Amino acid sequence: MTTSLFSIAFGVGTQNRQGNWLEVFYAQPLLSPSAELVAKVGEVLGYSGGNQAIVISNNQATKLAEALKGIDAAQSALLTRLAESHRPLVATLLAEDSAPTSTPEAYLKLHLLSHRLAKPHSLNLSGIFPLLPNVAWTSQGAVDLAELAELQLEARLKGDLLEVFSVDKFPKMTDYVVPSGVRIADSARVRLGAYIGEGTTVMHEGFVNFNAGTEGPGMIEGRVSAGVFVGKGSDLGGGCSTMGTLSGGGNIVISVGEGCLIGANAGIGIPLGDRNIVEAGLYITAGTKVALLDEQNALVKVVKARDLAGQPDLLFRRNSQNGAVECKTNKTAIELNEALHAHN
């Protein structure tokens, strides 16, 4: 049996009446667990290798808690609590970071991101969507859509209300983990699987998708889509949209460097280098033709926006007279950067 794992987590979740997983909550997922811990877990559960989601009983949780007492006190304490559960339990063991094959595996990958144990686009999430059932997220937790109407009727007959907050594949991140040092004005707008860095503020109209996020500190007032990772000290203005593509490999990852400003109702389809500014209302795709201007605002040449991807200290704007997208050196950013280096 292997004693080296990519990740391991013990969770409690929700199943429908057919025993299919709807969601799983992992309070303390581990990345690269110790060989001693893996060996003990394998001994108790009969784990022989590979990526597996093993349903465990309350009795097995108790045995695991006892076995891990001298190895990992935190995991032992968690398993002691899990042993009291009236909901189904699962131990998910990932020998490698390969494409998930079950709902518990998919949820573990999402937890690793939101617990800041892995950064966006660093995990293999290929084929994750079919593994995440579309469920009703209610005041009583996750409910299978086929069972929702009956539960709503049962609640009404008891004089209660089963409130449905959303119908989606992804739950709110804050129902599973609240990272330290963040402010989130509307928790419904941050999905599980988002990476919210220390010092990040997500305003009321901000949105952060799974496999996306911010390194922090920074302000999010617009949309951060899957595949986008925003650098430190950046400000994404209200209503702005950042486009990213999430898939198995070889696809675009939209990164936003440190100290960038993307104005209101602006959007990008290319990675930005440090200290870039995109003026309000301007949407840049990879194929957008951009006029490069010199210090005297004279045209140097016309390039596609993808040719400027990742370059620092640029100002993107639209010419108010002819509508052309223009790019100049961001003097303010350069002067500030030089001043900071001189001070250091």
Side-chain angles (χ1 to χ4, degrees):
M1 183 199 78
T2 180
T3 56
S4 175
L5 289 182
F6 174 74
S7 179
I8 188 172
F10 306 105
V12 55
T14 307
Q15 295 176 323
N16 63 13
R17 290 170 183 168
Q18 286 72 48
N20 299 318
W21 289 102
L22 301 180
E23 58 85 38
V24 182
F25 170 67
Y26 299 105
Q28 299 173 25
L30 294 175
L31 195 66
S32 302
S34 70
E36 193 176 2
L37 183 147
V38 175
K40 282 294 183 181
V41 172
E43 182 182 318
V44 174
L45 300 183
Y47 169 74
S48 57
N51 290 3
Q52 293 188 42
I54 304 172
V55 175
I56 61 175
S57 65
N58 295 63
N59 185 50
Q60 286 176 306
T62 300
K63 290 181 178 178
L64 283 169
E66 187 64 29
L68 297 182
K69 269 187 178 179
I71 300 173
D72 191 319
Q75 294 295 318
S76 176
L78 170 62
L79 284 158
T80 299
R81 298 296 306 277
L82 292 178
E84 304 169 357
S85 175
H86 297 287
R87 308 298 291 273
L89 304 176
V90 64
T92 302
L93 301 90
L94 302 181
E96 59 182 6
D97 179 25
S98 56
T101 59
S102 67
T103 299
E105 289 179 39
Y107 265 82
L108 175 51
K109 293 286 185 80
L110 297 179
H111 276 74
L112 291 175
L113 288 161
S114 290
H115 277 272
R116 300 176 183 157
L117 295 174
K119 290 189 176 181
H121 218 79
S122 67
L123 299 177
N124 187 340
L125 300 180
S126 300
I128 193 173
F129 287 101
L131 301 174
L132 300 173
N134 195 32
V135 303
W137 301 100
T138 78
S139 51
Q140 295 182 18
V143 175
D144 190 306
L145 293 177
E147 301 168 6
L148 179 61
E150 183 179 344
L151 292 176
Q152 286 176 316
L153 177 58
E154 288 180 7
R156 293 282 182 168
L157 293 175
K158 295 175 182 177
D160 298 328
L161 172 65
L162 179 64
E163 186 174 359
V164 179
F165 301 115
S166 68
V167 178
D168 196 5
K169 288 178 173 288
F170 293 85
K172 295 187 294 185
M173 181 191 73
T174 53
D175 284 348
Y176 292 78
V177 56
V178 178
S180 61
V182 304
R183 292 170 55 203
I184 301 174
D186 185 351
S187 61
R189 299 182 66 82
V190 181
R191 279 175 154 181
L192 180 64
Y195 182 110
I196 309 298
E198 185 94 17
T200 298
T201 295
V202 183
M203 297 299 288
H204 291 82
E205 294 304 316
F207 172 83
V208 186
N209 208 341
F210 84 104
N211 205 32
T214 66
E215 189 172 7
M219 177 80 72
I220 303 299
E221 298 178 274
R223 178 182 177 86
V224 182
S225 301
V228 178
F229 192 53
V230 181
K232 295 179 180 179
S234 295
D235 185 355
L236 273 67
C240 79
S241 174
T242 49
M243 293 193 311
T245 301
L246 170 68
S247 189
N251 289 277
I252 298 172
V253 181
I254 306 298
S255 60
V256 179
E258 297 184 11
C260 290
L261 172 62
I262 303 177
N265 298 309
I268 59 171
I270 61 169
L272 295 183
D274 294 341
R275 301 172 300 280
N276 277 207
I277 295 176
V278 180
E279 76 167 11
L282 178 60
Y283 206 106
I284 303 171
T285 65
T288 299
K289 291 184 178 179
V290 180
L292 293 181
L293 305 181
D294 62 18
E295 294 299 318
Q296 286 72 45
N297 290 326
L299 177 65
V300 177
K301 63 178 177 178
V302 176
V303 299
K304 290 187 176 180
R306 66 169 61 93
D307 298 326
L308 302 173
Q311 297 299 311
D313 303 308
L314 298 179
L315 167 63
F316 293 91
R317 68 186 189 187
R318 187 177 294 280
N319 188 299
S320 61
Q321 294 183 320
N322 59 29
V325 177
E326 300 174 339
C327 178
K328 291 191 63 176
T329 299
N330 182 6
K331 275 188 174 182
T332 302
I334 292 177
E335 290 169 359
L336 178 60
N337 187 45
E338 290 175 346
L340 289 173
H341 280 292
H343 177 72
N344 293 334

